[in-house]
Amino acid sequence: MNTQSQLQPASESALDICNAALSKIGEAPLDALIPNASTASQLCMLHYHPTRREVLCMARWTFATSSVVLDSPSANAPESLTPWQFSLPENCLRVLEVECKRWALRGRHLYTSGCPVALSYILDLEDALTFDPLFNEALATRLAEKLALPLTGNQSLRQYLNQTFFKQILPQAATVNAVQSHSNDAHPLQEFLRKIRTSKPPSEE
């Protein structure tokens, strides 16, 4: 197993998220995340990173958005409409935007019609101290759903957490994050309100 993907026991912020998830299913908090300790600790170690990556992929989180200019193609096919092949950055979880007329994604390779090319993506961010508070709540809720059945055996609780996550927690977090991803001048709602404020009222007859 890749040691970089293991949950470090000293990561207090990750522990806080795991304990928040445990509290949602009525389980006692953990003092530390230690392999081969309690069942709750083992399950948190098993599910935390996959769930973190899953929730990161579910929205365009500003705190986890990165960009890079790819200028070193790994291969090219001159007869193709997308002749340039690039390997995605190792920490890329989800491609957001490619500044190129034509592009295609196949596995971990990006094929483009131009070179160099600018890429925006969601990165595999592990430092919980940089997470958005609403993302933490979404992650804790999704993690609680994963832990509910093996720790409590309560299928109804798992279903409730699933519905809460998809219908309330994630939409709220994603919406707030989307609004703050624009400056006041650039956000469409702000422009709409500006036009209302500056428009002249109809003259009275």
Side-chain angles (χ1 to χ4, degrees), residues 124-153:
D124 187 4
L125 189 62
E126 294 192 21
D127 185 1
L129 294 176
T130 64
F131 294 167
D132 182 281
L134 292 178
F135 173 83
N136 285 346
E137 177 64 14
L139 176 54
T141 303
R142 187 63 166 167
L143 182 58
E145 180 193 345
K146 304 288 182 69
L147 301 176
L149 203 57
L151 287 179
T152 71

PDB file of all heavy atoms in Angstrom, residues 124-153:
ATOM      1  N   ASP A 124      -5.983  16.052  -5.589  1.00  0.00           N
ATOM      2  CA  ASP A 124      -6.148  15.065  -4.515  1.00  0.00           C
ATOM      3  C   ASP A 124      -5.581  15.657  -3.225  1.00  0.00           C
ATOM      4  O   ASP A 124      -4.485  15.306  -2.789  1.00  0.00           O
ATOM      5  CB  ASP A 124      -5.427  13.770  -4.904  1.00  0.00           C
ATOM      6  CG  ASP A 124      -5.696  12.640  -3.918  1.00  0.00           C
ATOM      7  OD1 ASP A 124      -6.495  12.838  -2.972  1.00  0.00           O
ATOM      8  OD2 ASP A 124      -5.104  11.558  -4.089  1.00  0.00           O
ATOM      9  N   LEU A 125      -6.338  16.547  -2.621  1.00  0.00           N
ATOM     10  CA  LEU A 125      -5.877  17.304  -1.468  1.00  0.00           C
ATOM     11  C   LEU A 125      -6.076  16.495  -0.188  1.00  0.00           C
ATOM     12  O   LEU A 125      -7.190  16.073   0.121  1.00  0.00           O
ATOM     13  CB  LEU A 125      -6.643  18.625  -1.390  1.00  0.00           C
ATOM     14  CG  LEU A 125      -6.166  19.655  -0.376  1.00  0.00           C
ATOM     15  CD1 LEU A 125      -4.744  20.106  -0.684  1.00  0.00           C
ATOM     16  CD2 LEU A 125      -7.108  20.854  -0.379  1.00  0.00           C
ATOM     17  N   GLU A 126      -5.005  16.291   0.569  1.00  0.00           N
ATOM     18  CA  GLU A 126      -5.069  15.487   1.785  1.00  0.00           C
ATOM     19  C   GLU A 126      -5.042  16.324   3.062  1.00  0.00           C
ATOM     20  O   GLU A 126      -5.505  15.856   4.106  1.00  0.00           O
ATOM     21  CB  GLU A 126      -3.904  14.482   1.819  1.00  0.00           C
ATOM     22  CG  GLU A 126      -3.972  13.432   0.730  1.00  0.00           C
ATOM     23  CD  GLU A 126      -2.989  12.293   0.974  1.00  0.00           C
ATOM     24  OE1 GLU A 126      -2.563  12.117   2.134  1.00  0.00           O
ATOM     25  OE2 GLU A 126      -2.661  11.594   0.012  1.00  0.00           O
ATOM     26  N   ASP A 127      -4.509  17.530   3.004  1.00  0.00           N
ATOM     27  CA  ASP A 127      -4.366  18.353   4.199  1.00  0.00           C
ATOM     28  C   ASP A 127      -5.732  18.852   4.654  1.00  0.00           C
ATOM     29  O   ASP A 127      -6.283  19.806   4.089  1.00  0.00           O
ATOM     30  CB  ASP A 127      -3.433  19.529   3.910  1.00  0.00           C
ATOM     31  CG  ASP A 127      -3.147  20.361   5.160  1.00  0.00           C
ATOM     32  OD1 ASP A 127      -3.653  20.004   6.241  1.00  0.00           O
ATOM     33  OD2 ASP A 127      -2.409  21.356   5.045  1.00  0.00           O
ATOM     34  N   ALA A 128      -6.289  18.246   5.699  1.00  0.00           N
ATOM     35  CA  ALA A 128      -7.622  18.601   6.177  1.00  0.00           C
ATOM     36  C   ALA A 128      -7.688  20.021   6.711  1.00  0.00           C
ATOM     37  O   ALA A 128      -8.772  20.606   6.795  1.00  0.00           O
ATOM     38  CB  ALA A 128      -8.072  17.612   7.254  1.00  0.00           C
ATOM     39  N   LEU A 129      -6.540  20.603   7.063  1.00  0.00           N
ATOM     40  CA  LEU A 129      -6.533  21.968   7.571  1.00  0.00           C
ATOM     41  C   LEU A 129      -6.915  22.975   6.491  1.00  0.00           C
ATOM     42  O   LEU A 129      -7.286  24.108   6.801  1.00  0.00           O
ATOM     43  CB  LEU A 129      -5.152  22.318   8.137  1.00  0.00           C
ATOM     44  CG  LEU A 129      -4.726  21.536   9.387  1.00  0.00           C
ATOM     45  CD1 LEU A 129      -3.296  21.908   9.773  1.00  0.00           C
ATOM     46  CD2 LEU A 129      -5.670  21.800  10.552  1.00  0.00           C
ATOM     47  N   THR A 130      -6.831  22.578   5.226  1.00  0.00           N
ATOM     48  CA  THR A 130      -7.162  23.480   4.123  1.00  0.00           C
ATOM     49  C   THR A 130      -8.593  23.271   3.620  1.00  0.00           C
ATOM     50  O   THR A 130      -9.024  23.979   2.714  1.00  0.00           O
ATOM     51  CB  THR A 130      -6.192  23.277   2.948  1.00  0.00           C
ATOM     52  OG1 THR A 130      -6.354  21.945   2.422  1.00  0.00           O
ATOM     53  CG2 THR A 130      -4.749  23.465   3.387  1.00  0.00           C
ATOM     54  N   PHE A 131      -9.319  22.325   4.194  1.00  0.00           N
ATOM     55  CA  PHE A 131     -10.671  22.043   3.728  1.00  0.00           C
ATOM     56  C   PHE A 131     -11.636  23.162   4.109  1.00  0.00           C
ATOM     57  O   PHE A 131     -11.503  23.784   5.159  1.00  0.00           O
ATOM     58  CB  PHE A 131     -11.193  20.729   4.316  1.00  0.00           C
ATOM     59  CG  PHE A 131     -10.466  19.496   3.847  1.00  0.00           C
ATOM     60  CD1 PHE A 131     -10.664  18.284   4.500  1.00  0.00           C
ATOM     61  CD2 PHE A 131      -9.604  19.537   2.777  1.00  0.00           C
ATOM     62  CE1 PHE A 131     -10.004  17.143   4.085  1.00  0.00           C
ATOM     63  CE2 PHE A 131      -8.927  18.399   2.350  1.00  0.00           C
ATOM     64  CZ  PHE A 131      -9.140  17.196   3.009  1.00  0.00           C
ATOM     65  N   ASP A 132     -12.629  23.369   3.261  1.00  0.00           N
ATOM     66  CA  ASP A 132     -13.723  24.284   3.550  1.00  0.00           C
ATOM     67  C   ASP A 132     -14.607  23.664   4.639  1.00  0.00           C
ATOM     68  O   ASP A 132     -14.842  22.459   4.640  1.00  0.00           O
ATOM     69  CB  ASP A 132     -14.525  24.502   2.261  1.00  0.00           C
ATOM     70  CG  ASP A 132     -15.653  25.485   2.447  1.00  0.00           C
ATOM     71  OD1 ASP A 132     -16.691  25.089   2.990  1.00  0.00           O
ATOM     72  OD2 ASP A 132     -15.506  26.638   2.045  1.00  0.00           O
ATOM     73  N   PRO A 133     -15.142  24.479   5.586  1.00  0.00           N
ATOM     74  CA  PRO A 133     -15.998  23.926   6.653  1.00  0.00           C
ATOM     75  C   PRO A 133     -17.205  23.156   6.129  1.00  0.00           C
ATOM     76  O   PRO A 133     -17.569  22.115   6.688  1.00  0.00           O
ATOM     77  CB  PRO A 133     -16.427  25.169   7.442  1.00  0.00           C
ATOM     78  CG  PRO A 133     -15.337  26.164   7.212  1.00  0.00           C
ATOM     79  CD  PRO A 133     -14.868  25.920   5.808  1.00  0.00           C
ATOM     80  N   LEU A 134     -17.832  23.654   5.062  1.00  0.00           N
ATOM     81  CA  LEU A 134     -18.990  22.952   4.509  1.00  0.00           C
ATOM     82  C   LEU A 134     -18.562  21.645   3.832  1.00  0.00           C
ATOM     83  O   LEU A 134     -19.318  20.671   3.827  1.00  0.00           O
ATOM     84  CB  LEU A 134     -19.730  23.846   3.521  1.00  0.00           C
ATOM     85  CG  LEU A 134     -20.441  25.054   4.140  1.00  0.00           C
ATOM     86  CD1 LEU A 134     -21.095  25.898   3.060  1.00  0.00           C
ATOM     87  CD2 LEU A 134     -21.468  24.609   5.160  1.00  0.00           C
ATOM     88  N   PHE A 135     -17.358  21.622   3.283  1.00  0.00           N
ATOM     89  CA  PHE A 135     -16.843  20.370   2.736  1.00  0.00           C
ATOM     90  C   PHE A 135     -16.625  19.366   3.857  1.00  0.00           C
ATOM     91  O   PHE A 135     -16.911  18.177   3.701  1.00  0.00           O
ATOM     92  CB  PHE A 135     -15.523  20.615   1.995  1.00  0.00           C
ATOM     93  CG  PHE A 135     -14.843  19.340   1.546  1.00  0.00           C
ATOM     94  CD1 PHE A 135     -15.210  18.717   0.371  1.00  0.00           C
ATOM     95  CD2 PHE A 135     -13.841  18.757   2.321  1.00  0.00           C
ATOM     96  CE1 PHE A 135     -14.593  17.537  -0.045  1.00  0.00           C
ATOM     97  CE2 PHE A 135     -13.225  17.576   1.917  1.00  0.00           C
ATOM     98  CZ  PHE A 135     -13.601  16.971   0.733  1.00  0.00           C
ATOM     99  N   ASN A 136     -16.110  19.826   5.003  1.00  0.00           N
ATOM    100  CA  ASN A 136     -15.911  18.938   6.148  1.00  0.00           C
ATOM    101  C   ASN A 136     -17.221  18.280   6.562  1.00  0.00           C
ATOM    102  O   ASN A 136     -17.262  17.086   6.873  1.00  0.00           O
ATOM    103  CB  ASN A 136     -15.332  19.721   7.332  1.00  0.00           C
ATOM    104  CG  ASN A 136     -13.868  20.049   7.154  1.00  0.00           C
ATOM    105  OD1 ASN A 136     -13.204  19.493   6.287  1.00  0.00           O
ATOM    106  ND2 ASN A 136     -13.370  20.958   7.959  1.00  0.00           N
ATOM    107  N   GLU A 137     -18.299  19.064   6.582  1.00  0.00           N
ATOM    108  CA  GLU A 137     -19.602  18.518   6.953  1.00  0.00           C
ATOM    109  C   GLU A 137     -20.072  17.496   5.924  1.00  0.00           C
ATOM    110  O   GLU A 137     -20.618  16.446   6.275  1.00  0.00           O
ATOM    111  CB  GLU A 137     -20.618  19.648   7.085  1.00  0.00           C
ATOM    112  CG  GLU A 137     -22.040  19.214   7.410  1.00  0.00           C
ATOM    113  CD  GLU A 137     -22.181  18.544   8.767  1.00  0.00           C
ATOM    114  OE1 GLU A 137     -21.242  18.647   9.585  1.00  0.00           O
ATOM    115  OE2 GLU A 137     -23.230  17.918   9.016  1.00  0.00           O
ATOM    116  N   ALA A 138     -19.849  17.802   4.644  1.00  0.00           N
ATOM    117  CA  ALA A 138     -20.224  16.859   3.594  1.00  0.00           C
ATOM    118  C   ALA A 138     -19.411  15.573   3.702  1.00  0.00           C
ATOM    119  O   ALA A 138     -19.952  14.466   3.594  1.00  0.00           O
ATOM    120  CB  ALA A 138     -20.026  17.501   2.222  1.00  0.00           C
ATOM    121  N   LEU A 139     -18.114  15.706   3.931  1.00  0.00           N
ATOM    122  CA  LEU A 139     -17.253  14.533   4.054  1.00  0.00           C
ATOM    123  C   LEU A 139     -17.647  13.697   5.266  1.00  0.00           C
ATOM    124  O   LEU A 139     -17.718  12.466   5.181  1.00  0.00           O
ATOM    125  CB  LEU A 139     -15.793  14.975   4.149  1.00  0.00           C
ATOM    126  CG  LEU A 139     -14.747  13.879   4.387  1.00  0.00           C
ATOM    127  CD1 LEU A 139     -14.866  12.770   3.355  1.00  0.00           C
ATOM    128  CD2 LEU A 139     -13.344  14.474   4.374  1.00  0.00           C
ATOM    129  N   ALA A 140     -17.915  14.352   6.393  1.00  0.00           N
ATOM    130  CA  ALA A 140     -18.300  13.623   7.607  1.00  0.00           C
ATOM    131  C   ALA A 140     -19.616  12.883   7.396  1.00  0.00           C
ATOM    132  O   ALA A 140     -19.775  11.734   7.856  1.00  0.00           O
ATOM    133  CB  ALA A 140     -18.412  14.581   8.783  1.00  0.00           C
ATOM    134  N   THR A 141     -20.553  13.504   6.692  1.00  0.00           N
ATOM    135  CA  THR A 141     -21.846  12.862   6.454  1.00  0.00           C
ATOM    136  C   THR A 141     -21.707  11.668   5.526  1.00  0.00           C
ATOM    137  O   THR A 141     -22.296  10.600   5.769  1.00  0.00           O
ATOM    138  CB  THR A 141     -22.835  13.875   5.850  1.00  0.00           C
ATOM    139  OG1 THR A 141     -22.952  15.010   6.719  1.00  0.00           O
ATOM    140  CG2 THR A 141     -24.209  13.253   5.677  1.00  0.00           C
ATOM    141  N   ARG A 142     -20.933  11.838   4.467  1.00  0.00           N
ATOM    142  CA  ARG A 142     -20.723  10.716   3.535  1.00  0.00           C
ATOM    143  C   ARG A 142     -19.958   9.589   4.223  1.00  0.00           C
ATOM    144  O   ARG A 142     -20.262   8.404   4.001  1.00  0.00           O
ATOM    145  CB  ARG A 142     -19.946  11.213   2.318  1.00  0.00           C
ATOM    146  CG  ARG A 142     -19.812  10.187   1.194  1.00  0.00           C
ATOM    147  CD  ARG A 142     -21.141   9.801   0.607  1.00  0.00           C
ATOM    148  NE  ARG A 142     -20.974   9.086  -0.660  1.00  0.00           N
ATOM    149  CZ  ARG A 142     -21.939   8.426  -1.261  1.00  0.00           C
ATOM    150  NH1 ARG A 142     -23.153   8.370  -0.717  1.00  0.00           N
ATOM    151  NH2 ARG A 142     -21.716   7.822  -2.413  1.00  0.00           N
ATOM    152  N   LEU A 143     -18.994   9.935   5.051  1.00  0.00           N
ATOM    153  CA  LEU A 143     -18.239   8.919   5.777  1.00  0.00           C
ATOM    154  C   LEU A 143     -19.142   8.197   6.778  1.00  0.00           C
ATOM    155  O   LEU A 143     -19.051   6.974   6.934  1.00  0.00           O
ATOM    156  CB  LEU A 143     -17.056   9.565   6.502  1.00  0.00           C
ATOM    157  CG  LEU A 143     -16.118   8.647   7.278  1.00  0.00           C
ATOM    158  CD1 LEU A 143     -15.514   7.577   6.358  1.00  0.00           C
ATOM    159  CD2 LEU A 143     -15.011   9.455   7.949  1.00  0.00           C
ATOM    160  N   ALA A 144     -20.030   8.942   7.435  1.00  0.00           N
ATOM    161  CA  ALA A 144     -20.963   8.329   8.379  1.00  0.00           C
ATOM    162  C   ALA A 144     -21.851   7.309   7.678  1.00  0.00           C
ATOM    163  O   ALA A 144     -22.163   6.248   8.236  1.00  0.00           O
ATOM    164  CB  ALA A 144     -21.820   9.411   9.040  1.00  0.00           C
ATOM    165  N   GLU A 145     -22.238   7.638   6.450  1.00  0.00           N
ATOM    166  CA  GLU A 145     -23.046   6.681   5.680  1.00  0.00           C
ATOM    167  C   GLU A 145     -22.286   5.380   5.451  1.00  0.00           C
ATOM    168  O   GLU A 145     -22.860   4.282   5.551  1.00  0.00           O
ATOM    169  CB  GLU A 145     -23.441   7.310   4.347  1.00  0.00           C
ATOM    170  CG  GLU A 145     -24.274   6.387   3.474  1.00  0.00           C
ATOM    171  CD  GLU A 145     -24.400   6.888   2.055  1.00  0.00           C
ATOM    172  OE1 GLU A 145     -24.096   8.065   1.808  1.00  0.00           O
ATOM    173  OE2 GLU A 145     -24.792   6.088   1.180  1.00  0.00           O
ATOM    174  N   LYS A 146     -20.992   5.481   5.152  1.00  0.00           N
ATOM    175  CA  LYS A 146     -20.184   4.289   4.918  1.00  0.00           C
ATOM    176  C   LYS A 146     -20.005   3.464   6.202  1.00  0.00           C
ATOM    177  O   LYS A 146     -19.876   2.239   6.147  1.00  0.00           O
ATOM    178  CB  LYS A 146     -18.807   4.688   4.378  1.00  0.00           C
ATOM    179  CG  LYS A 146     -18.830   5.540   3.116  1.00  0.00           C
ATOM    180  CD  LYS A 146     -19.245   4.750   1.907  1.00  0.00           C
ATOM    181  CE  LYS A 146     -19.211   5.613   0.643  1.00  0.00           C
ATOM    182  NZ  LYS A 146     -17.854   5.991   0.238  1.00  0.00           N
ATOM    183  N   LEU A 147     -19.989   4.155   7.345  1.00  0.00           N
ATOM    184  CA  LEU A 147     -19.731   3.475   8.622  1.00  0.00           C
ATOM    185  C   LEU A 147     -21.001   2.947   9.272  1.00  0.00           C
ATOM    186  O   LEU A 147     -20.925   2.075  10.153  1.00  0.00           O
ATOM    187  CB  LEU A 147     -19.043   4.450   9.595  1.00  0.00           C
ATOM    188  CG  LEU A 147     -17.714   5.060   9.156  1.00  0.00           C
ATOM    189  CD1 LEU A 147     -17.235   6.063  10.198  1.00  0.00           C
ATOM    190  CD2 LEU A 147     -16.662   3.985   8.942  1.00  0.00           C
ATOM    191  N   ALA A 148     -22.146   3.466   8.866  1.00  0.00           N
ATOM    192  CA  ALA A 148     -23.388   3.171   9.574  1.00  0.00           C
ATOM    193  C   ALA A 148     -23.718   1.683   9.619  1.00  0.00           C
ATOM    194  O   ALA A 148     -23.984   1.125  10.694  1.00  0.00           O
ATOM    195  CB  ALA A 148     -24.542   3.950   8.944  1.00  0.00           C
ATOM    196  N   LEU A 149     -23.696   1.031   8.483  1.00  0.00           N
ATOM    197  CA  LEU A 149     -24.114  -0.367   8.433  1.00  0.00           C
ATOM    198  C   LEU A 149     -23.147  -1.292   9.161  1.00  0.00           C
ATOM    199  O   LEU A 149     -23.576  -2.107   9.991  1.00  0.00           O
ATOM    200  CB  LEU A 149     -24.320  -0.805   6.985  1.00  0.00           C
ATOM    201  CG  LEU A 149     -25.260  -2.002   6.783  1.00  0.00           C
ATOM    202  CD1 LEU A 149     -26.625  -1.716   7.374  1.00  0.00           C
ATOM    203  CD2 LEU A 149     -25.376  -2.317   5.295  1.00  0.00           C
ATOM    204  N   PRO A 150     -21.839  -1.226   8.897  1.00  0.00           N
ATOM    205  CA  PRO A 150     -20.932  -2.151   9.597  1.00  0.00           C
ATOM    206  C   PRO A 150     -20.846  -1.908  11.102  1.00  0.00           C
ATOM    207  O   PRO A 150     -20.576  -2.846  11.858  1.00  0.00           O
ATOM    208  CB  PRO A 150     -19.578  -1.916   8.930  1.00  0.00           C
ATOM    209  CG  PRO A 150     -19.670  -0.579   8.297  1.00  0.00           C
ATOM    210  CD  PRO A 150     -21.100  -0.420   7.892  1.00  0.00           C
ATOM    211  N   LEU A 151     -21.078  -0.672  11.558  1.00  0.00           N
ATOM    212  CA  LEU A 151     -20.944  -0.396  12.993  1.00  0.00           C
ATOM    213  C   LEU A 151     -22.264  -0.506  13.748  1.00  0.00           C
ATOM    214  O   LEU A 151     -22.268  -0.835  14.935  1.00  0.00           O
ATOM    215  CB  LEU A 151     -20.355   1.007  13.207  1.00  0.00           C
ATOM    216  CG  LEU A 151     -18.871   1.166  12.892  1.00  0.00           C
ATOM    217  CD1 LEU A 151     -18.422   2.604  13.130  1.00  0.00           C
ATOM    218  CD2 LEU A 151     -18.020   0.212  13.730  1.00  0.00           C
ATOM    219  N   THR A 152     -23.380  -0.215  13.083  1.00  0.00           N
ATOM    220  CA  THR A 152     -24.670  -0.237  13.779  1.00  0.00           C
ATOM    221  C   THR A 152     -25.631  -1.285  13.238  1.00  0.00           C
ATOM    222  O   THR A 152     -26.572  -1.669  13.932  1.00  0.00           O
ATOM    223  CB  THR A 152     -25.363   1.136  13.692  1.00  0.00           C
ATOM    224  OG1 THR A 152     -25.819   1.368  12.344  1.00  0.00           O
ATOM    225  CG2 THR A 152     -24.409   2.259  14.092  1.00  0.00           C
ATOM    226  N   GLY A 153     -25.424  -1.724  12.009  1.00  0.00           N
ATOM    227  CA  GLY A 153     -26.348  -2.668  11.397  1.00  0.00           C
ATOM    228  C   GLY A 153     -27.684  -2.044  11.048  1.00  0.00           C
ATOM    229  O   GLY A 153     -28.638  -2.750  10.727  1.00  0.00           O
TER     230      GLY A 153
END
